[in-house]
Amino acid sequence: METMPPSEERLASPCIQVCRIDSTTQHCEGCRRTLDEIARWRSMSETERAAVWARLAADPHSPA
């Protein structure tokens, strides 16, 4: 089982408190994460979180 560092050392959530799911894309209109990514964020490894951040950074519609 992975040992998680204290939360302040982990990658921050991309949440911007605009929580609406787009019915077409199934992504949050605020942070652009999928429902699965939102649900699993707290249990994701640093590698998984970094991959989400990389995807968001590559998305021209992302606020990231």
Side-chain angles (χ1 to χ4, degrees), residues 24-64:
T24 303
T25 66
Q26 296 299 301
H27 286 85
C28 175
E29 292 179 8
C31 67
R32 307 299 299 157
R33 289 181 293 170
T34 65
L35 287 172
D36 179 63
E37 290 166 342
I38 293 166
R40 294 186 330 100
W41 188 261
R42 295 192 79 184
S43 64
M44 283 182 173
S45 68
E46 287 298 295
T47 302
E48 290 171 312
R49 287 180 178 203
V52 172
W53 271 110
R55 181 183 60 76
L56 295 176
D59 180 353
H61 300 104
S62 175

